[in-house]
């Protein structure tokens, strides 16, 4: 786990060389001697993007996948026992390294944003604002209160923590401000290009990404601040905003050391045991119950382990399938469609929700080169019932679509919506409903599920402004 920061640096170098050997980096200039204002935005952007992917794709994705019950700890290993039995402390790398790696990426992102604003380069300004909001939403949704306004300022050693409500207001304001800029007035001689791993400088796609992220920001507040959520969603949709119709993703990974997908790199290449992650009965039973062909893309067999049954579970439980060249999705096409569908159900009278839901299901299958057309008229057909029934279907399909690398998002969404539902019986009970979450067999929290990350030990030791620790099972502000 400690290799992730080095991995992000090597990943940047490897992908840059893989993408092109013709770049604008001045090899005669020592980058360590450059001031922040002198660092070319074209060279800082890929480190920002891969830095986010390296942090989110390991430190957030692994526990997110456990708590979304994509996988469970192997019965013949112990790498993630404390994750699966909910006994994590604030010394764990998931909290400490996840925090530091994301803030490292934000240092680059915020420097790009400052330089872009000074230059009137609104292309880079929009890109940086979008990456900034993406990173802070993940931090705020897991840790709740985090440094925002004073973060990444080298002159402030103990930045103030702000509430999630304040951070959400600031993120929405920042994105709206960036979206309002005249991109056509950006300098023609300094444009994002192939060092932008997401869209190669296609600003229409960055605009769609920013709009889709803004939609997610509003929807995330559907419980905590329903009037803010409704007003934001309606304003965005009524303005004619365009949303992602293709995935915002890094797709340039190759099957070589430190140049592959971060989750694969961590689990299959860097760890001595490559079979830690075993098929959870929760996801596995759902796929089997619906004859879903993605089962073969998720697991190497059909033997599932009850969540957290790593003491008495079968050593033959199927292993999670991870691919070296799998994309890292910031927001997938499927998620974009599901976000739009939910927004239509909640705040737009349901108009167009079914079509968007169907497109989301099909897009989720396409991530594995499968055709999901028959499923939208079959076992995954849109209920077209009550709002709650429709939202349950949307979030359930979104949960499946996040496998394997975006379990951090399905964990957050389960907190917010309550879907997948929590089972009232154990996973091996005859009345168990496939796909419902079950409390870890070896759980240590008295039946309570994890709901957040703990403030990292490193931060509590050096920042006197760190709030008092909150139990890992305490509901977050946006929760159902």
């Amino acid at each position: 786990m400690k290799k992730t920061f080095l991995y992000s640096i090597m990943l940047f170098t490897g992908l840059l060389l893989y993408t092109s050997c013709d770049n604008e980096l001045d090899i005669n200039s020592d980058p360590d001697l450059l001031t922040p204002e002198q660092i070319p935005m074209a060279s800082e952007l890929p480190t920002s993007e891969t830095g986010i992917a390296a942090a989110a794709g390991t430190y957030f994705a692994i526990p997110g996948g456990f708590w979304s019950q994509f996988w469970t700890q192997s019965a013949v290993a112990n790498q993630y026992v404390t994750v699966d039995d909910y006994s994590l402390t604030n010394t764990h790398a998931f909290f400490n390294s996840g925090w530091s790696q994301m803030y490292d990426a934000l240092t680059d992102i915020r420097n790009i944003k400052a330089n872009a604003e000074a230059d009137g380069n609104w292309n880079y300004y929009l890109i940086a604002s979008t990456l900034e909001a993406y990173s802070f939403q993940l931090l705020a949704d897991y840790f709740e209160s985090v440094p925002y306004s004073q973060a990444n300022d080298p002159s402030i050693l103990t930045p103030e923590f702000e509430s999630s409500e304040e951070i959400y207001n600031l993120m929405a304001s920042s994105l709206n401000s960036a979206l309002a800029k005249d991109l056509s007035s950006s300098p023609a001689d300094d444009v994002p290009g192939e060092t932008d791993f997401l869209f190669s400088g296609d600003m229409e796609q960055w605009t769609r990404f920013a709009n889709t992220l803004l939609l997610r920001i509003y929807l995330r507040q559907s419980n905590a601040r329903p009037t803010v959520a409704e007003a934001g969603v309606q304003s965005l949709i009524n303005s004619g905003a365009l949303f992602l119709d293709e995935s915002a993703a890094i797709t340039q990974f190759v099957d070589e050391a430190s140049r592959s997908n971060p989750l694969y790199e961590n689990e299959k290449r860097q760890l001595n045991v490559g079979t830690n992650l075993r098929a959870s009965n929760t996801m596995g039973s759902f796929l089997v119950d619906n004859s879903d062909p993605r089962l073969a893309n998720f697991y190497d067999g059909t033997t599932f382990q009850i969540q957290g049954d790593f003491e008495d579970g079968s050593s033959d439980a199927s292993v999670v399938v991870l691919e070296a060249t799998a994309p890292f999705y910031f927001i997938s096409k499927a998620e974009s469609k599901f976000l739009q569908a939910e927004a239509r159900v909640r705040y737009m009278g349901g108009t167009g929700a079914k079509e968007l839901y169907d497109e989301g299901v099909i897009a989720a299958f396409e991530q594995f080169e499968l055709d999901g057309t028959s499923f939208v008229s079959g076992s995954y057909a849109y209920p077209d019932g009550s709002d709650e029934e429709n939202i349950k279907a949307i979030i359930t399909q979104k949960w499946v679509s996040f496998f394997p690398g975006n379990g951090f998002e399905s964990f957050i969404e389960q907190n917010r919506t309550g879907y997948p539902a929590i089972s009232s019986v154990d996973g091996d009970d005859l009345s168990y409903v496939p796909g419902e979450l079950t409390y870890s067999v070896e759980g240590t929290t008295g039946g309570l599920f994890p709901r957040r990350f703990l403030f990292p030990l490193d931060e509590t030791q050096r920042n006197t402004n760190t709030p008092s620790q909150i139990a890992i099972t305490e509901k977050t502000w946006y929760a159902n």
Side-chain angles (χ1 to χ4, degrees):
M1 297 301 294
K2 294 180 180 178
K3 297 180 181 179
T4 299
F5 177 64
L6 175 61
Y7 164 65
S8 68
I9 300 299
M10 295 176 71
L11 175 65
F12 154 60
T13 305
L15 288 183
L16 189 60
L17 291 173
Y18 174 72
T19 305
S20 174
C21 61
D22 181 18
N23 62 68
E24 298 177 359
L25 298 179
D26 182 357
I27 61 174
N28 296 310
S29 298
D30 184 349
D32 292 333
L33 300 179
L34 297 177
T35 65
E37 296 77 18
Q38 293 174 319
I39 300 174
M41 290 183 286
S43 66
E44 203 163 20
L45 178 59
T47 61
S48 303
E49 294 173 343
T50 57
I52 295 170
T58 51
Y59 297 120
F60 291 88
I62 294 170
F66 274 101
W67 297 343
S68 295
Q69 301 192 4
F70 292 171
W71 46 68
T72 184
Q73 170 63 53
S74 170
V76 291
N78 60 10
Q79 179 78 15
Y80 301 120
V81 164
T82 58
V83 186
D84 213 5
D85 70 6
Y86 318 144
S87 64
L88 285 168
T89 67
N90 72 337
T91 63
H92 203 285
F94 289 140
F95 307 145
N96 290 273
S97 297
W99 177 285
S100 63
Q101 295 302 317
M102 196 62 80
Y103 274 109
D104 281 344
L106 279 162
T107 297
D108 291 322
I109 291 165
R110 287 187 149 179
N111 192 57
I112 294 171
K113 186 175 180 179
N115 289 339
E117 184 173 24
D119 295 346
N121 193 322
W122 305 124
N123 290 331
Y124 273 107
Y125 187 81
L126 175 61
I127 291 173
S129 297
T130 305
L131 295 174
E132 177 187 52
Y134 179 91
S135 303
F136 271 113
Q137 185 174 38
L138 194 54
L139 286 167
D141 287 348
Y142 266 83
F143 293 100
E144 193 152 359
S145 177
V146 299
Y148 181 92
S149 299
Q150 294 182 352
N152 309 104
D153 185 338
S155 68
I156 302 176
L157 300 181
T158 57
E160 294 281 352
F161 282 62
E162 288 158 284
S163 70
S164 290
E165 291 91 337
E166 292 174 309
I167 294 168
Y168 263 65
N169 288 342
L170 291 166
M171 290 191 300
S173 176
S174 174
L175 283 173
N176 279 314
S177 176
L179 285 163
K181 301 297 185 184
D182 180 8
L183 302 185
S184 67
S185 66
S186 294
D189 60 349
D190 190 7
V191 297
E194 59 191 7
T195 58
D196 166 22
F197 292 137
L198 274 71
F199 297 119
S200 298
D202 185 334
M203 294 313 298
E204 178 184 344
Q205 295 305 321
W206 275 104
T207 299
R208 286 174 177 265
F209 184 11
N211 284 332
T212 309
L213 182 57
L214 192 56
L215 181 64
R216 189 166 79 182
I217 286 171
Y218 290 137
L219 281 173
R220 194 60 49 83
Q221 302 175 82
S222 60
N223 297 315
R225 300 199 292 180
T227 56
V228 171
E230 181 174 8
V233 168
Q234 289 180 343
S235 175
L236 190 60
I237 291 177
N238 290 334
S239 72
L242 299 177
F243 303 104
L244 284 171
D245 201 36
E246 65 177 74
S247 296
I250 295 178
T251 61
Q252 296 91 340
F253 298 113
V254 294
D255 189 6
E256 295 178 12
S258 298
R259 294 174 63 189
S260 55
N261 174 280
L263 185 57
Y264 176 92
E265 186 72 17
N266 190 83
E267 292 302 305
K268 298 297 186 180
R269 203 189 304 276
Q270 292 184 358
L271 289 182
N272 292 327
V273 179
T275 59
N276 266 300
L277 305 182
R278 299 300 180 115
S280 171
N281 181 67
T282 305
M283 177 66 80
S285 66
F286 178 84
L287 298 174
V288 168
D289 192 56
N290 289 284
S291 301
D292 192 320
R294 288 175 291 184
L295 178 66
N297 299 94
F298 287 14
Y299 310 121
D300 70 356
T302 56
T303 304
F304 311 132
Q305 184 170 296
I306 303 298
Q307 192 67 36
D309 191 16
F310 47 77
E311 289 294 336
D312 299 319
S314 170
S315 61
D316 296 327
S318 301
V319 176
V320 171
V321 173
L322 299 175
E323 299 291 343
T325 58
F328 174 80
Y329 294 102
F330 286 74
I331 296 182
S332 67
K333 177 181 177 180
E335 183 186 1
S336 173
K337 298 297 183 179
F338 291 135
L339 287 168
Q340 294 174 66
E342 182 187 352
R344 293 278 175 176
V345 171
R346 288 190 186 274
Y347 306 120
M348 306 298 291
T351 304
K354 178 189 182 303
E355 291 75 14
L356 289 162
Y357 167 86
D358 289 352
E359 290 174 13
V361 173
I362 291 170
F365 274 81
E366 288 174 346
Q367 289 174 186
F368 297 95
E369 299 182 352
L370 295 169
D371 184 1
T373 305
S374 63
F375 283 84
V376 297
S377 58
S379 55
Y380 296 152
Y382 187 68
D384 205 14
S386 68
D387 286 356
E388 197 60 33
E389 289 171 332
N390 295 337
I391 289 170
K392 178 182 179 180
I394 292 166
I395 302 301
T396 299
Q397 289 304 313
K398 190 194 289 190
W399 167 63
V400 182
S401 78
F402 283 137
F403 189 98
N406 291 74
F408 50 85
E409 277 299 322
S410 50
F411 168 73
I412 291 168
E413 288 291 74
Q414 200 285 329
N415 276 343
R416 178 177 70 92
T417 66
Y419 300 120
I422 293 174
S423 176
S424 60
V425 299
D426 295 336
D428 55 359
D429 191 288
L430 291 176
S431 62
Y432 171 71
V433 176
E436 290 191 348
L437 304 184
T438 58
Y439 185 72
S440 173
V441 171
E442 299 293 332
T444 60
T445 53
L448 299 177
F449 286 74
R451 296 300 181 195
R452 62 173 68 236
F453 274 3
L454 300 174
F455 293 122
L457 177 65
D458 293 347
E459 190 69 15
T460 62
Q461 289 179 331
R462 65 171 173 249
N463 188 351
T464 56
N465 289 316
T466 306
S468 299
Q469 201 65 263
I470 301 173
I472 200 170
T473 55
E474 189 70 25
K475 287 174 61 174
T476 52
W477 73 289
Y478 58 84
N480 184 295

